[in-house]
Amino acid sequence: MNVLFVCSRNRLRSPTAENVFRDWPGVQVASAGLAPDADEILTAEDIDWADVVIAMEKKHKAEISRRFMPQLRDTRIVALGIPDDYGYMDPELIEILRAKVPPHLRRR
């Protein structure tokens, strides 16, 4: 399963999620951001690669849906509801991710 984590600038939340779930069995992970100055900017190719897109906030999910609707036909997209209040690898962020992400890593 290919899992793509998305936040705004791909500097804190989505790279943390990518790092936390990097060794999850049966899962390949990547991360990207939606802002023009993101470290890794989300592309249509990223969406095509992903089986599931996990956005940090509802606004990210809405923006992904708006920008990439044609690529999302066979791709699940979910929003975790994690605000931009955490630093990279923040222990509280890791705890939240470990609680919220695993249910989305199962094939449907």
Side-chain angles (χ1 to χ4, degrees):
M1 171 182 273
N2 295 332
V3 180
L4 178 64
F5 296 101
V6 179
C7 65
S8 298
R9 295 173 64 212
N10 189 230
R11 294 194 179 131
L12 305 173
R13 293 170 290 173
S14 59
T16 296
E18 180 180 7
N19 194 36
V20 168
F21 293 98
R22 175 173 321 227
D23 296 324
W24 193 270
V27 173
Q28 298 293 318
V29 294
S31 65
L34 290 165
D37 65 341
D39 285 357
E40 183 70 37
I41 298 172
L42 183 64
T43 67
E45 291 78 19
D46 294 328
I47 300 292
D48 287 338
W49 171 85
D51 295 308
V52 61
V53 176
I54 300 179
M56 294 298 142
E57 298 178 56
K58 287 182 182 179
K59 70 180 182 180
H60 299 134
K61 180 180 177 181
E63 181 67 14
I64 293 164
S65 295
R66 185 186 69 75
R67 283 195 211 173
F68 300 101
M69 186 54 72
Q71 289 81 17
L72 287 168
R73 281 173 295 182
D74 299 322
T75 306
R76 284 187 299 134
I77 181 170
V78 297
L80 298 178
I82 299 175
D84 193 10
D85 294 340
Y86 305 96
Y88 177 70
M89 296 303 288
D90 182 309
E92 186 177 350
L93 174 58
I94 292 170
E95 184 178 323
I96 293 166
L97 289 165
R98 286 184 176 154
K100 291 188 172 198
V101 171
H104 303 292
L105 301 183
R106 297 183 186 100
R107 291 227 180 251
R108 295 198 176 176

